[in-house]
Amino acid sequence: MTYVVGDVHGEFDTLNLLINKIPKCSEIIFVGDIVDRGEKSNKVIEFIQNNNHRCVVGNHEKMMIDYSEYFIKEYPNIPFTGFVDTWIKNGGKETLESYGLIARDRYDGKLICNKNDKGFKQYKKDIKWLKTLPLYIKLKKKKDGKDIVVSHASLGDVWYLVESHSKEDIIEQYALWNRKEPKKNCSIFNIYGHTPISKVDTTKHYINIDTGCCYKKKKGLGKLSAYCIETNEVISV
């Protein structure tokens, strides 16, 4: 069986609950946004790597990678004053905290760097791994007569660009950031996340598997879900 897991966003404990409900020996694929917002992004990355699960890159991994060039170069002498990077404000703070690399100053509450050689070594190793993640995974399976493609965001409407090997910048923008559902006449069966929904609809010509795991305080969200390609079943915790 093949299960596609929605946006985990650092919620390692919830991921463990979900994994325990998935039949053993199943193939597990992640739709990206495995980091940020939750408290244990480092543990999520470690779990996926240690179990050789497949994963596509999401917009949060892309932001983390982009910020890492500055962070690795300047660490630990980084003043978090004035301008704060977009990634830090969108869950990156929690990710760096999971590696023990930053904390809140107990006197003024501002962000400061922690000197943590072990955490920094792991962070650099994980950045290197994140850079290997693909924008999409095309499976050797079909659904409704169409090729199945796993991506972070909806990619169906520009799949023709992938097949023609053109306009890679547009493909990347769609794969990471697009929030529009694919049109009915798109040529693939696209399984993706990125845009939180309250319930996975398995009757459509695509699957959005992001049920907003990190938004536990928002009504209708706060669950982590996995979609089984063979049975059309959804497991949520």
Side-chain angles (χ1 to χ4, degrees), residues 31-141:
V31 300
D33 275 12
I34 56 177
V35 300
D36 296 350
R37 299 200 169 108
E39 296 180 351
K40 298 180 181 179
S41 290
N42 63 328
K43 294 294 185 183
V44 175
I45 292 177
E46 181 181 48
F47 171 82
I48 295 173
Q49 289 188 78
N50 288 348
N51 290 278
N52 293 314
H53 293 314
R54 291 201 282 176
C55 180
V56 297
V57 65
N59 60 302
H60 279 264
E61 286 78 48
K62 181 65 166 60
M63 288 191 290
M64 182 177 174
I65 291 167
D66 290 345
Y67 184 75
S68 71
E69 293 186 20
Y70 165 73
F71 190 85
I72 290 172
K73 180 181 177 182
E74 301 295 334
Y75 176 83
N77 302 308
I78 300 175
F80 292 99
T81 57
F83 171 75
V84 177
D85 186 85
T86 300
W87 176 62
I88 296 292
K89 293 187 290 186
N90 282 277
K93 178 180 74 71
E94 289 81 1
T95 295
L96 290 176
E97 286 175 337
S98 76
Y99 289 95
L101 298 179
I102 65 170
R104 289 281 184 186
D105 189 295
R106 61 179 179 176
Y107 296 107
D108 60 15
K110 293 181 180 179
L111 291 177
I112 56 173
C113 272
N114 280 336
K115 188 72 167 66
N116 181 344
D117 292 339
K118 182 179 178 181
F120 188 50
K121 182 179 179 181
Q122 187 62 46
Y123 169 78
K124 290 189 292 183
K125 176 179 174 289
D126 290 347
I127 289 294
K128 187 175 181 179
W129 176 76
L130 290 174
K131 288 179 178 179
T132 70
L133 299 182
L135 281 173
Y136 59 85
I137 296 173
K138 182 180 178 182
L139 303 182
K140 295 179 180 178
K141 302 173 185 288

Side-chain angles (χ1 to χ4, degrees), residues 9-24:
H9 275 302
E11 298 286 349
F12 179 65
D13 296 338
T14 305
L15 175 60
N16 270 329
L17 293 175
L18 181 66
I19 294 298
N20 288 335
K21 290 181 174 290
I22 294 175
K24 295 188 183 300

Side-chain angles (χ1 to χ4, degrees), residues 4 31 143 149 151-152 182 189-193 197 200-210 226-229 232 234:
V4 182
V31 300
K143 192 83 172 177
V149 176
S151 55
H152 175 60
F189 187 87
N190 198 182
I191 305 174
Y192 60 89
I197 54 174
V200 179
D201 188 346
T202 61
T203 66
K204 294 191 175 183
H205 57 285
Y206 63 88
I207 295 290
N208 178 355
I209 195 63
D210 180 12
Y227 171 72
C228 182
I229 291 172
N232 216 39
V234 176

